[in-house]
Amino acid sequence: MRLGRLAPLFASICSVAALAQSPKGPDWAALQDETMRHYQAVLRLDTRNPPGNEHIVAEYVKQVLDKEGIPSQIVGSDMNRPNLIARLKGNGKKRPLLIMGHSDVVTVDEAKWKFPPFSATRDGGYVYGRGTIDDKDNLTASMMTIILLKRLSVPLDRDVIFVTESGEEGSSGIGIGYLVKDHFPEIDAEYCLAEGGGVTRIGGQVKYATVQTLEKIPRGIELVARGISGHGSIPLKSNAIVHLAGAVAKIGDWRPDIRFNETTGTYFRKLAAISPPDVAKYYRDVLSTDPKTRKAADDWLFENEPRHSSMLRTSVSPNIFQGGYRSNVIPSEAKATLDVRALPDEDAARFLEQVKRVVNDPAVDVHFTGQNERQAGPDARLDSEAYKALEAAALKVYNTQTLPTMSTGATDMAQLRVKGVQCFGIGPATDFEDPPKGFGAHSDQERLLESEVHRFVRFNWEVIYDLAHAR
Ligand SMILES: [Zn+2]
């Protein structure tokens, strides 16, 4: 996104009546040392995946919760890489709320780090370390929240379940996959809060919050061209590489139809309302019912904001192209793999037929690859109690408005959405300028402002208290 061009946002501060307020709320200033101690402690636990070793985080969290009298269990198919499930009981008037943070982090290139990646060094107002924004921030904030609910003896209308799941970074079978398969009754909930959203700051000012309410579904499609093999000195009309190249070129020129859902429609409308006029025009035009206006905006987005272009449609990207083994042999087969990211409501069979029509070559076979395990689940509703609580908390804690987003990539929430859990991705405020400087998630370095660690704990508290306290 070209967020750098967003004008300052003058959020209209409507009065939020009935915003949940605990009679005796947490003493935020007094909690800062404790929050920072836990945050640094989990950051110092080296859970780079592979190999993961997430048991060290599960054990740390368990001993913290034990001291607070919060029951928890460590479960896993690989006890070096287990998950933790904790539960605070409510009166059962409402279905549970699940809050999650994954305990593994991606690997590091230690030479690129100014401070050692598992040192959690505090410098210039930041905390540096692998996992600071992915995902030990969510893990710490949700752990602090469940601790506070217990300590303040907050009566609850629903159970609050806290999970630290392992293996999110590329081995979710031992984490969320295992939990959904073997422990679903213990994590089943009406709502789930996990990573995937955040608050965008530009020039040190908060501009808006995003909440991930939906995600695209990865699908793979294979194109296999078959022809006659032969001597390279005698070109053949049936050359498989020529047929495959033609098919891939047609796919490259094709952009599937635009289709909005509740999340993306709301996102583009709200983004238009807070963006400077020269860019806002494109966000508005792409929503137009006039095909010419929409097409012009779509072309601009594809060239300038490809992530936004992908949010508009089921996207297709040819990412593997294989064929041939000797310069003097015409191969009888050539193969390409397309990375398809489907809109959640996409009809897979119908889409495959569309791809076949675009390719339009009987020499090229078009089929799904075998690796399409994730299914689509329903999106989280924007008229739900949970979304309203998230909007209210963003206004209260960050004085900003919320945009719902659909992520183009997949998350651990996919497995829960399939089971009917309404999932919302949240995150702390980070600087828009930070990722290009190499401080983003999965970057050579990673960091988070100390002040934003504390503000994120408060945001979690406001949302979770609002959704769970007894009324
Ligand atoms: Zn993550």
Side-chain angles (χ1 to χ4, degrees):
M1 278 195 292
R2 295 170 65 176
L3 300 172
R5 301 179 57 181
L6 283 177
L9 163 64
F10 302 103
S12 63
I13 314 301
C14 50
S15 78
V16 182
L19 194 59
Q21 186 62 263
S22 145
K24 184 166 68 86
D27 179 350
W28 295 113
L31 279 168
Q32 292 203 354
D33 282 351
E34 185 182 357
T35 299
M36 190 50 65
R37 187 158 43 79
H38 289 314
Y39 185 50
Q40 285 185 299
V42 292
L43 287 167
R44 285 174 182 150
L45 298 172
D46 178 352
T47 51
R48 74 184 97 177
N49 176 13
N53 285 322
E54 293 92 333
H55 71 96
I56 52 180
V57 169
E59 283 150 15
Y60 178 84
V61 172
K62 181 147 200 344
Q63 74 46 52
V64 171
L65 298 181
D66 281 351
K67 271 187 216 146
E68 302 291 332
I70 299 170
S72 64
Q73 50 169 335
I74 294 179
V75 297
S77 53
D78 173 348
M79 287 320 278
N80 259 325
R81 312 194 59 186
N83 310 277
L84 174 133
I85 310 172
R87 180 183 289 253
L88 273 190
K89 296 290 284 177
N91 61 25
K93 244 166 88 180
K94 294 176 180 172
R95 294 185 53 224
L97 168 65
L98 169 64
I99 53 181
M100 302 203 302
H102 64 83
S103 50
D104 61 325
V105 295
V106 290
T107 48
V108 294
D109 178 352
E110 310 211 18
K112 303 260 169 69
W113 289 71
K114 184 173 173 198
F115 306 106
F118 297 97
S119 67
T121 302
R122 293 166 74 174
D123 186 75
Y126 288 91
V127 182
Y128 289 81
R130 179 57 91 216
T132 45
I133 52 172
D134 183 11
D135 183 34
K136 288 172 175 171
D137 49 339
N138 280 72
L139 192 152
T140 304
S142 38
M143 183 178 81
M144 287 305 295
T145 305
I146 198 167
I147 289 173
L148 289 172
L149 289 171
K150 177 75 166 66
R151 249 184 232 168
L152 299 174
S153 306
V154 176
L156 301 172
D157 269 349
R158 58 171 104 226
D159 291 4
V160 175
I161 306 164
F162 167 50
V163 162
T164 70
E165 85 275 25
S166 57
E168 194 275 341
E169 304 289 359
S171 36
S172 60
I174 56 148
I176 194 67
Y178 165 79
L179 290 172
V180 166
K181 189 165 74 59
D182 285 17
H183 291 271
F184 190 65
E186 291 133 271
I187 64 166
D188 187 12
E190 179 173 18
Y191 300 122
C192 167
L193 304 177
E195 65 176 341
V199 176
T200 300
R201 292 174 21 136
I202 300 171
Q205 300 290 312
V206 166
K207 297 301 177 189
Y208 59 85
T210 58
V211 168
Q212 195 248 62
T213 52
L214 193 59
E215 61 191 84
K216 294 179 90 175
I217 309 299
R219 301 263 175 245
I221 288 182
E222 221 165 53
L223 308 180
V224 182
R226 292 194 178 88
I228 300 160
S229 63
H231 198 288
S233 64
I234 307 163
L236 294 175
K237 197 162 188 279
S238 72
N239 185 314
I241 288 182
V242 174
H243 282 267
L244 185 69
V248 169
K250 287 182 208 161
I251 294 292
D253 280 340
W254 177 51
R255 263 177 284 154
D257 290 343
I258 293 176
R259 198 162 70 245
F260 288 97
N261 49 49
E262 189 191 17
T263 292
T264 54
T266 309
Y267 173 78
F268 281 99
R269 264 193 305 280
K270 286 195 146 190
L271 193 60
I274 60 170
S275 300
D278 59 331
V279 234
K281 174 188 181 328
Y282 299 109
Y283 305 142
R284 222 176 333 260
D285 284 357
V286 84
L287 290 156
S288 165
T289 49
D290 172 51
K292 265 180 75 183
T293 307
R294 176 181 279 209
K295 168 87 169 62
D298 183 25
D299 287 345
W300 187 88
L301 290 174
F302 183 53
E303 203 169 318
N304 297 283
E305 299 182 355
R307 197 177 68 86
H308 279 152
S309 172
S310 177
M311 280 174 69
L312 299 172
R313 54 172 52 85
T314 292
S315 60
V316 188
S317 179
N319 294 349
I320 306 177
F321 193 103
Q322 297 160 297
Y325 55 97
R326 267 185 81 105
S327 69
N328 61 358
V329 173
I330 299 173
S332 57
E333 192 177 296
K335 197 161 78 177
T337 308
L338 313 178
D339 185 359
V340 175
R341 301 297 173 124
L343 290 174
D345 64 350
E346 190 64 76
D347 177 336
R350 199 189 61 107
F351 189 78
L352 190 69
E353 286 312 309
Q354 270 186 295
V355 175
K356 285 180 186 171
R357 274 201 299 280
V358 171
V359 168
N360 191 27
D361 181 347
V364 180
D365 181 44
V366 180
H367 54 258
F368 281 114
T369 62
Q371 306 142 350
N372 296 308
E373 288 153 5
R374 276 203 167 99
Q375 297 165 268
D379 47 340
R381 298 213 41 97
L382 304 189
D383 58 4
S384 64
E385 188 189 2
Y387 189 76
K388 286 177 189 156
L390 288 158
E391 278 188 315
L395 199 54
K396 186 173 177 185
V397 177
Y398 295 99
N399 191 16
T400 199
Q401 61 171 300
T402 299
L403 275 57
T405 62
M406 174 179 72
S407 61
T408 53
T411 75
D412 268 1
M413 290 185 282
Q415 284 89 334
L416 292 167
R417 288 191 169 121
V418 173
K419 301 288 268 181
V421 181
Q422 289 198 56
C423 299
F424 300 88
I426 57 173
T430 53
D431 289 315
F432 177 71
E433 298 85 354
D434 244 14
K437 290 187 208 157
F439 294 114
H442 297 209
S443 287
D444 277 344
Q445 300 191 70
E446 201 177 324
R447 69 180 183 184
L448 180 59
L449 279 164
E450 289 187 20
S451 54
E452 296 302 347
V453 178
H454 301 302
R455 188 145 66 151
F456 188 47
V457 174
R458 208 186 132 207
F459 175 77
N460 271 264
W461 164 264
E462 295 293 344
V463 175
I464 294 160
Y465 178 83
D466 192 356
L467 284 174
H469 84 279
R471 289 173 192 272

